[in-house]
Amino acid sequence: MQDKQRPYLVISNDDGVRAKGLQTLIDVLRPHYDLLVVAPDGSRSAMSMAITARQPIIGKLLRQEEGLEEYVCSGTPVDCLKLALCRYARRKPDLVIGGINHGDNSSVNAHYSGTVGIAAEGALQGLPAIAFSLCDMDDDADFKPLRPYILQFVDKVLREGMPAWTCLNINFPEGLKTYKGVRYCRMAQSRWVKEVEDCPHPWKPGLHFWLVGECEELEPEATDTDRWALANGYVAVTPQTFDTTSYDYLQALKQE
């Protein structure tokens, strides 16, 4: 049914199967690649690499056309990818993609992101993987400026491959019709602060809270980071590795 001469891509997201970012990604890639899409039935933002371990997940076929199969899943983004790889994939995928996310996944946000979680799971499964995000949370965000870059990055990874245990986390600035270019950069150091606010309840005061907060930049003057690139109109590309060993500290411990 599918043309085996074309690369085979597996796609998921954390904004839900109907999100404009996901449908844009399908629209951009479908003319060039065979696609398997398995996405959540609703928003699963900030799920990171969470999995559903204590109840069944449900997968349902939405459409099956030439070069495209699309499923909806009741689980998390990583559940979706696991289901795709273990049950629905017709052959070994050439690439895993998370996105296009509605919202910023640079710096510390990457640790919480379900979109980056998809790419991380792909890397752990031994597959090249990319996470795409536009720093705009609007449901109707403008994804047109991203389209040529999506193809550029996908083609680059398919041609050149990627180191083991690694993915690309790619973020696009908000509100621009064109970008100054691409910056390959490191993850900025930041942290979320002031993260909890009371959520008043008339019958149970003191028991309900909102998780909110603001991002505190720890190196605002640095010019080699993803945050700087985005703030200055560049596409920020950060390679992330999932071998979390601190090798410097390991060597220091061995010398004690």
Side-chain angles (χ1 to χ4, degrees):
M1 179 176 176
Q2 293 188 344
D3 181 357
K4 292 190 177 182
Q5 299 305 308
R6 304 205 312 173
Y8 188 40
L9 279 51
V10 175
I11 300 171
S12 190
N13 75 341
D14 71 359
D15 292 310
V17 71
R18 299 303 181 193
K20 184 177 180 181
L22 176 67
Q23 296 305 317
T24 298
L25 190 60
I26 295 170
D27 184 54
V28 170
L29 296 176
R30 188 178 179 185
H32 308 279
Y33 310 108
D34 288 336
L35 307 181
L36 170 60
V37 180
V38 184
D41 56 13
S43 176
R44 303 289 191 276
S45 294
M47 295 295 286
S48 187
M49 294 188 71
I51 59 173
T52 303
R54 295 184 179 273
Q55 63 190 54
I57 58 172
I58 300 169
K60 180 180 178 182
L61 179 66
L62 290 182
R63 57 174 167 163
Q64 187 172 33
E65 301 167 2
E66 187 67 31
L68 172 66
E69 289 182 279
E70 185 175 13
Y71 294 82
V72 62
C73 173
S74 64
T76 70
V78 170
D79 289 337
C80 291
L81 183 55
K82 288 181 180 294
L83 186 60
L85 297 178
C86 294
R87 283 293 181 269
Y88 297 145
R90 295 177 177 271
R91 62 185 191 269
K92 182 179 179 180
D94 297 289
L95 179 65
V96 168
I97 301 179
I100 305 168
N101 186 65
H102 293 246
D104 184 338
N105 279 325
S106 66
S107 188
V108 68
N109 296 338
H111 295 292
Y112 301 105
S113 165
T115 302
V116 179
I118 294 161
E121 178 66 17
L124 294 181
Q125 296 294 338
L127 299 169
I130 306 174
F132 289 115
S133 302
L134 172 63
C135 299
D136 186 343
M137 297 186 69
D138 192 329
D139 288 344
D140 194 33
D142 182 10
F143 291 93
K144 291 186 183 69
L146 284 64
R147 296 173 74 99
Y149 290 90
I150 298 296
L151 288 173
Q152 171 188 326
F153 289 123
V154 169
D155 180 65
K156 178 181 177 65
V157 170
L158 289 173
R159 282 187 291 105
E160 300 178 4
M162 190 177 292
W165 308 101
T166 303
C167 79
L168 289 181
N169 181 21
I170 302 177
N171 286 270
F172 295 83
E174 178 182 5
L176 300 179
K177 297 300 182 184
T178 60
Y179 306 118
K180 291 182 180 178
V182 174
R183 284 290 180 104
Y184 296 95
C185 44
R186 66 179 176 88
M187 178 187 290
Q189 295 181 9
S190 65
R191 66 170 61 96
W192 282 89
V193 297
K194 302 176 184 177
E195 294 184 88
V196 177
E197 287 186 3
D198 292 338
C199 179
H201 191 285
W203 303 318
K204 299 179 180 180
L207 294 179
H208 297 81
F209 306 91
W210 288 111
L211 283 181
V212 288
E214 57 191 58
C215 194
E216 178 183 60
E217 305 292 344
L218 301 179
E219 43 181 0
E221 304 304 318
T223 60
D224 62 341
T225 69
D226 51 4
R227 298 292 255 203
W228 183 93
L230 292 167
N232 287 274
Y234 291 93
V235 179
V237 181
T238 303
Q240 295 185 204
T241 181
F242 301 100
D243 175 354
T244 59
T245 306
S246 173
Y247 287 98
D248 290 341
Y249 190 29
L250 176 61
Q251 291 304 314
L253 290 172
K254 288 180 177 180
Q255 293 172 8
E256 290 182 355

